[in-house]
Amino acid sequence: CIRDSLSAVPGAVPLLNNTGMRSVVTVPLKVEGRLTGSLGVAAESPGRYSNEEALRLQFAADRIALAVELSLIHI
């Protein structure tokens, strides 16, 4: 999910209220089709993220989700 301007929808991402962040991209953390969380990146400039950057973030999120899942198995 890409939000180009958080100021256009106040309160859209409560965690970022009063941080100066103006755009955000979030992607799901999934392992074997199960949703385990989400990963988000924010920037101070509006319109910062493109679909290509969201795909790159998803690529990283897939690896992070697997690493987290594997670490929980070994605890």
Side-chain angles (χ1 to χ4, degrees):
C1 173
I2 299 172
R3 294 210 184 258
D4 289 328
S5 178
L6 293 177
S7 60
V9 186
V13 184
L15 187 62
L16 297 178
N17 287 350
N18 302 314
T19 63
M21 297 297 136
R22 307 250 333 261
S23 59
V24 65
V25 58
T26 59
V27 295
L29 292 170
K30 290 184 181 179
V31 176
E32 296 178 357
R34 288 179 290 112
L35 181 64
T36 61
S38 65
L39 178 64
V41 179
E44 290 180 341
S45 58
R48 169 64 179 85
Y49 301 106
S50 66
N51 286 333
E52 182 178 317
E53 289 164 323
L55 288 174
R56 250 187 262 139
L57 186 61
Q58 185 63 65
F59 183 79
D62 292 343
R63 276 129 193 87
I64 291 167
L66 184 58
V68 168
E69 184 79 9
L70 290 173
S71 72
L72 292 175
I73 291 171
H74 297 305
I75 291 180

